[in-house]
Amino acid sequence: MFKIHNLFDKFHLLVSDDQLPIQSTEAMDEFLEAQHYQDLLQQHPEQTLEYNYQRNALWNYLSAASRGYPDAQYQLALCYLNGQLGLNQDLIQAKKWLQLAASNGHLPAQDLLDSQFQQTYFS
């Protein structure tokens, strides 16, 4: 888990939180690649490649989210919310990515922010 956080922190330093790039086809490709690795994790949880699958999924979600892809922003928020893909639960980061996804028109992110969950965890 330490290596994933270290890799994530290094990438995160390259991305400005204030201005995230707009969506692109590359971002969509990265999002689909991340989903592929996450599917591999679910299909083969006993594999010794679990760390690689987590790292690759997380990296691709982060890259696509940083390019402004709302589905990736939402998935990254869920990873923080639930402590998935080697990340520890972090409600501050979860809220940040949910707000970005919601501001980019992602309806499930908007619903999650407006739900009882918002009052419970983010108040």
Side-chain angles (χ1 to χ4, degrees):
M1 195 176 329
F2 173 75
K3 291 180 182 177
I4 289 176
H5 288 289
N6 192 23
L7 176 69
F8 182 80
D9 290 340
K10 286 180 182 177
F11 184 86
H12 194 64
L13 291 174
L14 300 174
V15 178
S16 166
D17 288 340
D18 298 333
Q19 289 187 325
L20 294 176
I22 59 171
Q23 295 181 45
S24 66
T25 55
E26 292 89 4
M28 184 177 69
D29 291 342
E30 289 169 332
F31 173 73
L32 295 173
E33 181 105 0
Q35 286 189 315
H36 169 71
Y37 283 113
Q38 199 164 16
D39 289 344
L40 287 174
L41 270 170
Q42 292 173 354
Q43 294 169 8
H44 307 287
E46 72 289 343
Q47 296 278 332
T48 57
L49 296 174
E50 178 181 10
Y51 168 78
N52 289 334
Y53 294 155
Q54 286 179 339
R55 181 197 63 210
N56 292 342
L58 183 59
W59 179 263
N60 282 290
Y61 278 139
L62 178 61
S63 182
S66 297
R67 292 173 188 247
Y69 196 73
D71 289 335
Q73 292 168 338
Y74 179 71
Q75 286 301 321
L76 194 55
L78 293 180
C79 288
Y80 273 117
L81 199 57
N82 300 313
Q84 296 172 321
L85 297 180
L87 293 174
N88 292 325
Q89 186 180 42
D90 185 334
L91 298 179
I92 294 170
Q93 287 293 321
K95 184 177 182 180
K96 173 189 135 181
W97 289 107
L98 278 174
Q99 288 173 329
L100 282 169
S103 70
N104 285 321
H106 195 275
L107 295 179
Q110 292 170 359
D111 290 343
L112 188 54
L113 283 171
D114 292 340
S115 71
Q116 177 65 31
F117 182 84
Q118 162 74 7
Q119 294 172 2
T120 304
Y121 289 103
F122 298 139
S123 55

